[in-house]
Amino acid sequence: MLPLTLLNAAQGKPMLVELKNGVTFNGHLVECDNFMNVTLREVYQTSADGERFWKMKEVFIKGNIIKYFRIADAILDSAFEQQEKNRAAAKTRGQSARGGRGGPAQRGARGGPPARGTPSGRGRGTGPPGRARGRGQ
Amino acid sequence: MEALIPFTTSGSLVDLVDKKVLVILRDGRKIIGVFRSYDQFANFLMESVVERLYHKMEYADRDIGILLVRGENVVAVGEIDLIAEDLIPLREISVENIMTRITEDNTKRDKDQIIKENVLREYGFVSEGREGDAY
């Protein structure tokens, strides 16, 4: 599982973010994006020397000033299970719909309106723009 | 996207996946854990992580768990030789003990540094950075 995939899966979960300057933020992840920008809720901020603390309702942290995230052990397991479940679901859906490749949306689908009742059901996917491509880790 | 191409050397990290690695961060911290995954920016995930603190011939491990490191902050990553690791003549002591020793050393060194800088300044020298300031 890619690092940012785990971060996405950790939404709503508690974590610790340390910035490059040593300041740390403890809180629940609300949202994150591919730049590693994050928003946290119910946050305890600790100064770099570890001697001063602040409590805040919500903070936004720009991705490029982050050093690392500490994430609870359980989250890796649950994220992995969720990923397996999604993969299995996508597989069965793909099979029942049109048999393998070219199924709607979730795999390899690119552009164009959903073509319902295509006679052959083969070829490149024609669903709405899906997330598609890559190894889906 | 062109600007991202210099980072593609992170592909060489493929050999480290699922291995026990030592990571040195830009702030000087040494992190040991199992390397799990990485991306094109060399951001990576580690499991069963400890921070290893050293003082002379002693060390202590501080538990961290799962760590997601932003690639920018990394100086070096290297696989640990599991056999050679057992031969290192270091003694493990508690985190509390090593922290007191390290802080003692730091305060002493800081004091000495100030004295040294004052003497050197009289001779017209400008103070240099310490170890780790280079990166």
Side-chain angles (χ1 to χ4, degrees), chain A residues 94-116:
Chain A
Q95 278 165 358
S96 62
R98 278 168 224 187
R101 287 204 163 268
Q106 61 274 44
R107 284 195 121 256
R110 274 198 170 272
R116 303 221 176 271

Side-chain angles (χ1 to χ4, degrees), chain A residues 1 18 20 67-69, chain B residues 27 29 37 68 72-73:
Chain A
M1 183 173 356
E18 179 159 332
K20 285 174 183 170
K67 188 188 294 173
Y68 63 72
F69 295 90
Chain B
D27 60 9
R29 274 189 251 192
S37 74
L68 192 170
E72 271 184 275
N73 306 292

Side-chain angles (χ1 to χ4, degrees), chain A residues 2 4 12 15 34 48 55 58 64 75:
Chain A
L2 292 171
L4 289 171
M15 62 177 57
N34 285 338
K55 185 174 184 331
E58 187 158 356
N64 68 347
I75 294 172

Side-chain angles (χ1 to χ4, degrees), chain B residues 64-113:
Chain B
I64 290 187
I66 291 173
L67 201 63
L68 192 170
V69 183
R70 191 174 164 91
E72 271 184 275
N73 306 292
V74 176
V75 176
V77 187
E79 186 184 347
I80 292 175
D81 184 331
L82 295 174
I83 297 164
E85 192 189 15
D86 294 334
L87 305 176
I88 298 171
L90 294 181
R91 197 160 57 88
E92 180 163 8
I93 62 171
S94 75
V95 176
E96 293 76 36
N97 283 338
I98 210 149
M99 281 312 289
T100 51
R101 283 168 216 207
I102 290 172
T103 31
E104 270 171 25
D105 262 30
N106 284 347
T107 40
K108 186 178 179 305
R109 196 182 48 203
D110 288 347
K111 240 194 293 178
D112 290 353
Q113 180 76 12

